[in-house]
Amino acid sequence: MNDILPELRLGPARRGTSPLGRLHIDLPLMGGLGMLAALAMVILYSSSGQSLEVLLRQAARLALATGIMLAVAQIHPRHLKFHSPALYLVGVALLALVLLMGKISMGAQRWLDLGVVRFQPSELTKLSTPMMVAWYLSNQAPPPNLKHLLAAGCLILLPTLMIAKQPDLGTAVLVGTAGAAVVFLAGLPWIYLLGLAALGGSLLPVVWHFMHGYQRDRVLTFLNPEADPLGRGYHIIQSKIAIGSGGVYGKGWLHGTQAHLEFLPERSTDFIFAVFAEEFGLLGCAGLLAIYLFIIGRCLFIVMQAQDRYSRYLAGALTLTFFVYVFVNIGMVIGILPVVGVPLPLVSYGGTSMVTLLAGFGMLMSIQTHQRRNGG
Amino acid sequence: MDREFIFKDSFRENRMFLNRIVASVVFMLALTLALVARLIYLQVVGHELYTNLSHDNQVKIAPLAPSRGLIFDRNGEVLADNIATYSLEVVPEQVPDLKATLAELKALINISDEEIARFQTQRGQRKSFESVPLRLELSEEDIARFAVKMPYFPGVEIRTRLLRAYPYADLTAHAVGYVGRINEAELQVLDPAQYRGTYHIGKTGVEKSYEAILHGKTGYEEYETNVQGRAIQVLGTTDPLTGADLYLSLDIRLQKTALDALGEYSGAVVAIEPATGKVLAMASKPSFDPNPFIHGIGKELYDSLQNDKERPLYDRVLRGVYPPGSTVKPFMALAGMEYLDLSPGKKSYCPGYYKLPNSDHKYRDWRKGGHGPVDMRLAIVQSCDVYFYDLANHIGIDRLQEYMSRFGFGRHTGIDLEGEKSGLFPSREWKKKKRKTQQWFPGETLIAGIGQGYVQATPLQLARAVAMFANQGHSVEPRLVDSIKAGYAVDSPYPRNHEETVGQIDRKRWQVVTDAMIDVVHSQRGTAKGIAPGLRYHMAGKTGTAQVFTVGQGQDYKKMNITQEMRDHAWFVAFAPAENPRIAVAVIAEHGGHGGSVAAPIARAVMDQYLNERP
């Protein structure tokens, strides 16, 4: 509690007078997220076949996740930093446990059954990995040298590979991205970036060799979905039909025949964007992207305002990861990326990723609202 | 340490971080632009394509079969009817275990392997939610048996379907024809959309030739479907258009009279209204009941029909080709006047045979002793062969063939039925082509001149030729369908060709030949004088004999021991009333021997009924 004292003492007067400030809520970010959540409900009502039950369940999750976000927002960034290594270790340990249990049950396993709650450790590492890398690199003066980079690389690869092994390629990509974003923001020299890109390219055949059969199929399907229209290409083809038939103005809310006729698989989860695009058209998509960009913009503003390395790195990484989330999901639904099972942030039906995402936004709010103002 | 950082705020570190943020923003904007570009590509450029694909995805079309048009005779008697029958149908997707269900049904109502095979074929052609008939025309007993067990057969139901029925059975078998199940070959040529809900198609007769308009137009029910193709809701219905009703010029009672009059003989009767070409009767005997063909005739019954020596399935009217024999003589007489300017009064001497110059071969007359001196009239009345041998010899085969074809010999009549044979009137070219190197012999011209040898004609052709004669050369195209009634505009598939005439022939010349034909019936020396007693109108006719085999040079036909199958076919062609022809008839009685005594009474029976009922 020692750490908080100077903060309270040095905090600007305006925050003390505002009840929202006292609650550590960033109003613009909250507004953007609220708009997104409201829109999500509208789409979900349609994609679920106008199921009020689904809507209520999602609303309950949203309420819970919002509570967690606000709770996280109360935690000072310093505490986040302090607990980063422990959180990271817990995450990796849980992943190991999942892999072990998966081995026992002879199959893929992503869930940890904690009796009442089913918990997905990979969700925790989405946050704990960038936190850990930010913790590590914020203790070094930028730019990181090779030793630091290698260490950071190991910190990232450990959970990433464990998640990929589950196998959960989508989450692995996101966890890796989150960690890499920190390294990038911490000043990874461009020459290394180019080298990594070259290395990555040359390693593709090796990666291919180690990929699971279904993962290879996904990539092949992505390259040519029409080759297997009733099998693996089905998702992509149907999704493209839904989106394309939406046109500029869309078919109107609840009038997206494609999705309602069950042609679209996973229409409430990973492929919900297709439902949205079919019903609201290009203009609706532009609006949705605008909301996302607004949220990202506000996050970037927070990143710019952040006054210590850890906050900057973490906030920046969370922001970039959020964007990658959006990009990967929409990219896969519209057929420019392979299908990797990434939900559309805050819109897709489902609880776990929403909790993680909002917890991340809670951290951003914390970073924004706990910073010291030194009046210029 | 953080606080240190904040206060010392290295300018260099801040600039580096700003650079990274700017790079990130550029990166994110570039990827966002990629998303937008792709969305524009899908939603603007590809919109039409994907809209079509989307439509194909969601809307399935279920056919609504039209009810087939009815066929009536000229008095409004129904010749082809639709009757409601019950059929046992299966919706495959609703049946949990199709194989077991079929086995149980087989035991319950005795379904044949043939029916199951047909069901499987049709099932393959339809969507799993569409009903496929297992058995058409359920009996009362079948219905009762199934009704009790119905709850145990989910997806199996009794439906009503309209089925074709031919109340006059064998009377209309050839002319009206019948419908049968659509076969594989027909599937290849049919418009699949139009026939998706239809199980039957016209196979013969009017049913076949007017198929296009009898069928009607298939309606559709548009279903919104889910990904399995299962109907969720009906979006809209396009009602089917009932097929056109056809009113034939055929008089079913006249048809019956004709068939009855043929008695024990196999043969054909065609009656035409000369002025219009309307077919009043066209009977082919023996006939058969077309009704079993609708549902798929059993092999046993079909084989018995197929193997019947009298060939009941064979439509003699359209497809029976026989030498027309002496029935060509009236036309020959006209040709003689046309080409040779032959005076009707000019007499020839008939010694009972004809010899070509420089040849010893005797071309015999049917009367061994000959007819003595005969003029044109007498030659026709007594059917003198020698007179027409001479005539044919002088006209020559080229002109003969040309002239006879004007009356339709060797040509299709153009009737509104399919499968008509053209018959044959030979020519030098024909022989060169068909018989290879052989040249045309003058003797063949003689034989052709009395309607024998290579000459072949169908009963319909002769009826038409006589009708044209009755019209004094005005051509007619026989038509079975008189009028078409539909709730929408329908074009007959058999539009009439422009009318033509045989050529300008002096009325007096027609009259000479017509008078001779009247004498065939009404004079004491006429070959058909036997039917004259009691006739209430003048009939102009001509008998004929179609030789089944050629009598050898030294043989005497009458003294030969002729079996029934070897006896000549008896022809009779006629029109009446001679002064104002309203009906033209051609009759052939197979192996009837003499036209005057066997075929002529049949023609009279038909004419009597037609003319006496409509004075």
Side-chain angles (χ1 to χ4, degrees), chain B residues 562-614:
Chain B
I562 302 287
T563 58
Q564 174 73 21
E565 300 94 82
M566 294 305 237
R567 277 173 63 189
D568 294 336
H569 301 319
W571 276 113
F572 188 69
V573 297
F575 60 91
E579 301 75 17
N580 175 30
R582 285 166 51 201
I583 183 170
V585 175
V587 175
I588 185 159
E590 288 181 4
H591 310 299
H594 190 248
S597 54
V598 174
I602 299 167
R604 182 184 164 175
V606 171
M607 287 185 164
D608 271 358
Q609 184 180 331
Y610 186 72
L611 294 174
N612 293 346
E613 269 188 18
R614 303 155 187 264

Side-chain angles (χ1 to χ4, degrees), chain B residues 27 100 153 161 169 218 271 294 444 452 464 497 502 524 589 615:
Chain B
F27 169 74
F153 291 101
R161 277 186 189 272
T218 298
I294 301 167
E444 290 170 339
Q452 300 283 0
R464 177 183 185 235
N497 292 324
V502 171
Q524 274 311 299

Side-chain angles (χ1 to χ4, degrees), chain A residues 142-178:
Chain A
N145 59 32
L146 191 58
K147 188 190 101 188
H148 297 148
L149 286 176
L150 287 174
C154 289
L155 289 174
I156 297 165
L157 279 176
L158 182 63
T160 303
L161 291 178
M162 288 171 90
I163 295 166
K165 190 100 180 78
Q166 282 183 352
D168 185 351
L169 203 60
T171 307
V173 166
L174 289 172
V175 169
T177 303

Side-chain angles (χ1 to χ4, degrees), chain A residues 256-279:
Chain A
T257 51
Q258 236 4 63
H260 293 299
L261 294 170
E262 298 167 30
F263 288 113
L264 198 60
E266 299 173 47
R267 63 191 192 279
S268 286
T269 53
D270 288 358
F271 280 81
I272 197 164
F273 180 76
V275 178
F276 181 80
E278 186 183 14
E279 298 192 349

Side-chain angles (χ1 to χ4, degrees), chain A residues 188 234 263 307 312 334, chain B residues 6 14 20 38 57-58 227:
Chain A
L188 172 72
Y234 186 78
F263 288 113
Q307 286 161 350
R312 279 180 173 182
I334 66 181
Chain B
I6 290 159
N14 267 350
R20 294 297 155 125
R38 175 68 172 180
N57 251 347
Q58 55 154 318
V227 70

Side-chain angles (χ1 to χ4, degrees), chain A residues 18 22 53-54 66 92 113-114 129 156 207 214 279 281 283 293 342:
Chain A
S18 156
R22 195 167 290 144
E53 195 199 323
V54 167
T66 306
V92 170
D113 207 333
L114 304 178
T129 303
I156 297 165
V207 173
Y214 87 96
E279 298 192 349
L283 295 177
L293 288 180
V342 171

